[in-house]
Amino acid sequence: MDVSNDADRLQTLLYSSYSTDTVRQMERPLLDDGVPLMRMAASATAQVTMSLLDDEDLPIENARVTVLAGAGNNGGDGLYAGAELANEGAQVTAIAVGRSLHEEAFRAFVHAGGRVLVLDSAADIPGCTSGFSAGEAGERLQAAVEYARSSHVVLDAMTGIGAAGALRGIAGTLAASIGVDGDLPDKPALPDNEPSADLPLVVAIDVPSGVGVDDGSLPGPYIPADATVTFGAMKPCAMVPPASYACGRVTLVDFGFDIDDAVPFAEMTDGDFVSDSIRLPRLADGKYSRGVVGLVTGSARYPGAAILSARAAARTNAGMVRYLGPQRAQDMVLSALPEAVLGKGRVESWVVGSGVPSAGDETGEDDAQRVTIAALLEHYALHETDDEMNARALAMPPIVVDAGALDLLPNRVVPQVVVTPHAGELAVLLNRLDGDGVEAVSRQQVEANPLRSALRAHELTGATVLLKGAVTIVVGPDGDGGDRIILSGRAPAWMATAGSGDVLAGMLGALMAQQDGLLTDDPALVPEVAAAAAYTHGLAGAIASKSEQRGWCCPRLYGHATRHSANAIGHPIVATDVIAAIPQAFDELIR
Ligand SMILES: NC(=O)C1=CN([C@@H]2O[C@H](COP(=O)(O)OP(=O)(O)OC[C@H]3O[C@@H](n4cnc5c(N)ncnc54)[C@H](OP(=O)(O)O)[C@@H]3O)[C@@H](O)[C@H]2O)[C@@H](O)CC1
Ligand SMILES: [K+]
């Protein structure tokens, strides 16, 4: 990735996340040059902690701070940060969860007046008691939990990027007692990831302990944070849900990593990125050249989805919308959108399945829409032996496969097919594709590790996958034989409402129709346009609900002035309100 100037570099740093291996490669040259990264990390953590205490009107001299310190460098960060807070007058206790502590950091901590409570009887930490009985170990653990709970601040320094798998042993028990075990992060969605006023404030060092650092999963007990101070570069867990929901407000400490040659693991969309997907009208344009969207959506049973998808597509910069569906839905579409054209004709993209019953639905089997969709989707199927049919499939216009069409998806398809499931629908899709012999995956499992599920669906089908959520995950081809992961976190939580998905499907269809056929020629653009649709949908929802809250907030950059952040929570909306706000969203994106 070529990052030509400083502003571009910072933008890339804030909106890209890198795997732990890449982060270690990027920090290597600095460590070799003797740059004191750990001290820099610790100072930043102490400063962020003090400013949080300040926000709560808690003087540092009165603050009780608990450092949950692991045996690795993450624990070292915590101990140095604890030492700085102790030097400022705080009363700081470190709970040693492993058998050792980072030596120099431990010395600095003790020198600053910090106290240490050891939990592992086999620990070997200078000046600390060990070899105690199992009974005493239990008492110490209980005391540690109580002490942490009654603190003003907990610095979570158990594990950082060296974490492997679910937290085990004492760290796991402590996380289950102080944090969460088995549930997704569950708190009101506030603007700017505002910390709750409840004490203790939890500050995660680098990453919250217990989350899947490289995939955003929650493999076991974890400690949700009010704030995370992360070093050098964003890790996937700070962007990918549900771990990203456990990070609270994120501050990135720029170590000056050279990111020119680093390939991000996952990127977050921003408005600049999205505007590339918007085709501005041209002087010589007519309605056809601006892109026509064909919709096979809605059904006799669910006609409303036809209206929502048609109106959303028409508002999203399409030249024209064609609608195919049952008489009742046709009548309703025409009265809601007189501009719609009924019946078949040339289109630049398709949207199928929104508001169409699936096979499991009681009206599913005999719904005529399903017959039309199944026939259309056959044109997108890839066959092992038939090159001619494959060439025809590769030349098809892009298509959005939503809701009731998902169970009609052929096994292997071309990448300009975008499937748009929510977690439950993705679980059903994966179980059908994986077939018997592979353990069935539940909606809850998809929710606990949505990225893995989206990657799996892309791998199995070849389709581009857009998994809906407060942070929407898009997985598609990167053009070099690999996967591209793009996220959109623009939507406020108010958008979790009936019909919201139908609106997204229509918007995505329209954005794909206006790409002048480029998506068919270059499938690597498909995930970009899919993420752009999710972002524009989220932005329209934010405008409609007058909400500053979003699924993902851009991290603060340590040492740089914090932009004043508005804090309107906003108000409830219905899907129709989102459509009404699309023009204003475009206005913002094009400006
Ligand atoms: N490189 C640098 O100089 C800089 C690094 N920096 C900081 O260092 C961090 C990386 O440090 P790291 O590599 O030492 O690993 P770290 O995250 O402390 O984890 C290792 C410890 O965790 C334990 N552990 C692992 N898995 C576990 C599990 N499932 N359940 C329970 N325990 C588990 C593991 O135990 P073990 O497996 O050895 O028994 C070991 O004790 C990085 O995130 C950043 O904060 C910054 O200061 C900037 C400069
Ligand atoms: K941590």
Side-chain angles (χ1 to χ4, degrees):
M1 180 165 293
D2 180 30
V3 184
S4 48
N5 66 41
D6 211 41
D8 284 354
R9 181 182 167 280
L10 288 181
Q11 179 77 4
T12 304
L13 211 51
L14 291 169
Y15 285 85
S16 311
S17 60
Y18 299 89
S19 71
T20 53
D21 285 348
T22 308
V23 170
R24 289 201 194 273
Q25 280 166 23
M26 294 194 289
E27 71 186 10
R28 191 73 261 155
L30 298 169
L31 291 171
D32 289 348
D33 284 351
V35 181
L37 296 185
M38 190 178 278
R39 302 307 295 260
M40 290 157 66
S43 285
T45 305
Q47 291 299 325
V48 169
T49 305
M50 285 196 282
S51 106
L52 283 169
L53 285 170
D54 206 38
D55 292 346
E56 300 296 326
D57 292 327
L58 263 166
I60 183 77
E61 312 81 59
N62 298 350
R64 268 193 321 281
V65 178
T66 301
V67 183
L68 306 177
N73 289 330
N74 194 247
D77 294 346
L79 291 170
Y80 274 129
E84 292 203 18
L85 295 173
N87 284 331
E88 295 291 332
Q91 183 190 323
V92 190
T93 299
I95 314 265
V97 300
R99 295 188 173 172
S100 60
L101 288 174
H102 186 282
E103 263 178 50
E104 285 169 41
F106 168 69
R107 276 201 296 275
F109 180 74
V110 173
H111 185 72
R115 298 183 313 157
V116 178
L117 174 65
V118 170
L119 298 186
D120 191 328
S121 71
D124 181 14
I125 300 171
C128 297
T129 315
S130 54
F132 37 81
S133 67
E136 186 179 339
E139 285 165 19
R140 282 174 175 249
L141 186 66
Q142 195 50 40
V145 170
E146 278 162 25
Y147 191 84
R149 282 200 184 129
S150 64
S151 302
H152 299 111
V153 178
V154 170
L155 294 186
D156 166 16
M158 294 204 293
T159 55
I161 61 172
L167 284 180
R168 51 187 152 68
I170 293 169
T173 311
L174 207 53
S177 310
I178 299 172
V180 178
D181 189 6
D183 291 317
L184 298 181
D186 183 24
K187 56 176 188 194
L190 297 177
D192 197 28
N193 277 337
E194 207 171 293
S196 65
D198 302 340
L199 294 177
L201 286 165
V202 176
V203 179
I205 299 194
D206 210 6
V207 301
S209 299
V211 305
V213 179
D214 272 333
D215 63 7
S217 65
L218 296 173
Y222 63 97
I223 303 186
D226 293 293
T228 296
V229 187
T230 199
F231 312 123
M234 300 285 287
K235 322 300 180 296
C237 62
M239 285 189 181
V240 179
S244 60
Y245 307 146
C247 290
R249 189 182 277 168
V250 177
T251 300
L252 173 66
V253 184
D254 180 12
F255 282 167
F257 284 171
D258 178 0
I259 55 171
D260 263 353
D261 296 321
V263 180
F265 172 79
E267 300 148 82
M268 184 64 72
T269 39
D270 66 6
D272 290 348
F273 176 103
V274 171
S275 53
D276 292 345
S277 295
I278 297 174
R279 181 190 188 280
L280 294 179
R282 297 168 193 171
L283 289 172
D285 264 344
K287 63 185 179 227
Y288 295 115
S289 60
R290 293 188 64 202
V292 179
V293 190
L295 301 161
V296 191
T297 55
S299 55
R301 181 165 180 166
Y302 308 114
I307 299 168
L308 292 170
S309 55
R311 290 186 59 202
R315 279 268 179 239
T316 307
N317 198 29
M320 194 169 109
V321 169
R322 292 188 193 276
Y323 178 72
L324 277 78
Q327 190 60 50
R328 178 158 177 241
Q330 286 185 18
D331 294 344
M332 287 171 67
V333 165
L334 271 192
S335 80
L337 184 73
E339 300 85 351
V341 174
L342 299 177
K344 285 186 181 157
R346 194 196 146 84
V347 300
E348 275 67 48
S349 77
W350 286 104
V351 179
V352 300
S354 320
V356 172
S358 53
D361 200 300
E362 58 197 69
T363 56
E365 289 309 337
D366 52 23
D367 192 280
Q369 291 287 71
R370 289 179 58 81
V371 178
T372 311
I373 293 168
L376 179 57
L377 282 174
E378 267 315 306
H379 295 286
Y380 290 84
L382 286 173
H383 303 266
E384 256 173 46
T385 49
D386 195 331
D387 290 346
E388 205 179 307
M389 278 183 85
N390 289 348
R392 277 209 293 273
L394 287 163
M396 288 292 286
I399 184 168
V400 181
V401 179
D402 191 35
L406 288 166
D407 62 1
L408 298 169
L409 186 76
N411 284 347
R412 289 292 304 173
V413 292
V414 294
Q416 66 266 38
V417 174
V418 184
V419 295
T420 55
H422 53 60
E425 289 167 337
L426 185 55
V428 173
L429 180 68
L430 286 174
N431 291 333
R432 171 167 73 87
L433 294 167
D434 271 323
D436 298 338
V438 175
E439 202 182 324
V441 53
S442 65
R443 177 175 61 81
Q444 287 78 5
Q445 284 167 312
V446 173
E447 283 170 348
N449 196 341
L451 178 60
R452 182 174 60 200
S453 301
L455 283 163
R456 177 86 184 131
H458 171 61
E459 179 195 358
L460 287 171
T461 61
T464 297
V465 178
L466 181 153
L467 174 55
K468 295 181 264 203
V471 172
T472 288
I473 300 174
V474 178
V475 177
D478 70 355
D480 284 325
D483 301 329
R484 178 108 186 258
I485 301 168
I486 313 181
L487 311 163
S488 174
R490 189 64 185 84
W494 298 114
M495 291 186 80
T497 180
S500 198
D502 307 327
V503 173
L504 173 63
M507 293 180 72
L508 174 53
L511 266 194
M512 297 209 297
Q514 63 196 264
Q515 305 303 319
D516 295 318
L518 289 176
L519 302 187
T520 302
D521 299 341
D522 182 5
L525 294 174
V526 178
E528 291 189 11
V529 177
Y535 185 97
T536 311
H537 180 245
L539 177 59
I543 292 166
S545 62
K546 296 197 172 66
S547 177
E548 304 290 342
Q549 189 270 327
R550 39 180 95 187
W552 182 82
C553 299
C554 180
R556 296 172 176 208
L557 198 54
Y558 180 69
H560 291 237
T562 309
R563 256 182 292 154
H564 173 73
S565 53
N567 60 0
I569 295 178
H571 54 68
I573 46 171
V574 293
T576 309
D577 300 332
V578 179
I579 300 172
I582 295 172
Q584 206 183 322
F586 266 80
D587 194 20
E588 257 186 48
L589 290 168
I590 293 167
R591 224 183 287 159

